[in-house]
Amino acid sequence: RGGGGAAASAACACPICLESFQDEAYLDTCFHSFCYKCICQWVKIVSTKRAEPLSSVQCPLCKTVNVSIIHGFDGESFQRHYINQDPRKRHLSHTHELISQFYSIKYITGHTSSVQQFWKQRKYLRKNIWLQTWLRQEIQALTQDENVDTIVYHIHGVIEAFMKRQEKEYTSKTTPPEKKREKFKCLLSDAARPFLLGRTERFVTEVELFLVSHLNIDAYSKVRVQRLKESTSHVSREQDVLPQDRSLEDHYLYFLGDETDCNGEI
């Protein structure tokens, strides 16, 4: 029994300092855990022995190569510390950094007329040729990882499958638009949550807004940059036009004036 207690105690101790975990952290490939400060110190010591900056580090326990340290996990979100702190070395662009900043903006979701018309007038039947590329850029920014093909394939597949079902049901008109929207957001949330955790709800809102906008990626990014500038500067050029309580969805869709349905009819 005594041996079992010692083993349990050891399992709750950091392998580096041999004390109880303080801000428990995990290496991203092998998932061995350490105190965050301990593993960062380990990386620092290893880096002093190399002429070039590290892009990865071997786990002190199993020697598996890892590129980042996951910490600050609270059940919904986590932080990721890359061994190589230069985003250019991780092939993440300035656009990715802007997206990450954008997701830190507080917002209020709302049911706007434009979003409702998107579902009521079946505008979702218009194929969005930019969706997969937009999803990849979005998920790369949220996960701070370049290799997201599996996640993108999964989420894009869920969206495509849903839209194809709607095409088949186009003539039946038995399901109310509100129910279709609710089902879409539920399916998308379930697909994204294992990867995006606490940012899932916001991500689902952003996906819907991108689809509603019918903008290409560059045009949509400009709308976002404007929103980011207004949030950080607290100065809005549309302040005299837009009510202060206007939702994020309203703010986006203020730039959009297309009220036609998928067949070009009013």
Side-chain angles (χ1 to χ4, degrees), residues 95-223:
T95 300
H96 292 104
E97 297 300 319
L98 284 176
I99 293 173
S100 296
Q101 292 178 40
F102 184 80
Y103 270 77
S104 67
I105 297 176
K106 294 181 179 180
Y107 73 105
I108 301 174
T109 58
H111 294 269
T112 68
S113 59
S114 296
V115 172
Q116 291 171 345
Q117 288 170 2
F118 174 79
W119 294 100
K120 184 177 180 180
Q121 298 177 358
R122 299 178 177 83
K123 294 184 180 182
Y124 49 79
L125 295 180
R126 298 176 181 175
K127 186 173 180 61
N128 191 310
I129 61 175
W130 303 287
L131 178 59
Q132 189 165 5
T133 302
W134 182 85
L135 286 172
R136 177 174 288 102
Q137 182 174 270
E138 204 81 357
I139 295 169
Q140 283 176 334
L142 291 175
T143 61
Q144 290 292 291
D145 194 347
E146 181 191 10
N147 185 17
V148 296
D149 288 349
T150 301
I151 304 174
V152 172
Y153 180 81
H154 174 59
I155 293 177
H156 185 258
V158 168
I159 295 174
E160 287 287 289
F162 176 84
M163 296 306 181
K164 286 180 180 178
R165 286 197 298 272
Q166 303 316 305
E167 289 179 4
K168 293 180 180 179
E169 298 173 4
Y170 177 71
T171 56
S172 65
K173 300 181 180 180
T174 56
T175 306
E178 297 80 9
K179 292 292 184 181
K180 290 186 177 182
R181 183 190 185 202
E182 182 181 344
K183 181 66 173 177
F184 171 77
K185 297 183 78 170
C186 182
L187 288 171
L188 185 54
S189 294
D190 289 344
R193 186 168 289 108
F195 311 103
L196 303 182
L197 303 174
R199 290 179 166 181
T200 299
E201 183 178 349
R202 177 65 180 275
F203 171 75
V204 170
T205 297
E206 294 298 328
V207 171
E208 184 180 43
L209 289 173
F210 178 69
L211 292 172
V212 170
S213 74
H214 294 298
L215 296 174
N216 62 33
I217 295 174
D218 288 340
Y220 191 74
S221 294
K222 290 179 181 178
V223 175

Side-chain angles (χ1 to χ4, degrees), residues 42-59:
W42 169 272
V43 172
K44 184 176 181 180
I45 292 172
V46 172
S47 66
T48 60
K49 300 179 180 180
R50 304 291 180 86
E52 298 293 329
L54 293 177
S55 59
S56 62
V57 68
Q58 289 185 333
C59 172

Side-chain angles (χ1 to χ4, degrees), residues 54-98:
L54 293 177
S55 59
S56 62
V57 68
Q58 289 185 333
C59 172
L61 297 179
C62 67
K63 306 305 179 185
T64 299
V65 175
N66 298 265
V67 299
S68 68
I69 303 166
I70 297 170
H71 68 105
F73 181 69
D74 61 6
E76 292 188 348
S77 61
F78 61 87
Q79 299 179 54
R80 196 168 189 175
H81 173 89
Y82 277 85
I83 306 302
N84 189 329
Q85 289 293 294
D86 186 350
R88 293 170 297 179
K89 299 296 184 180
R90 304 199 304 267
H91 307 287
L92 296 179
S93 66
H94 179 61
T95 300
H96 292 104
E97 297 300 319
L98 284 176

Side-chain angles (χ1 to χ4, degrees), residues 2-15 18-21:
S9 178
C12 297
C14 170
L18 304 181
E19 300 289 342
S20 298
F21 287 113

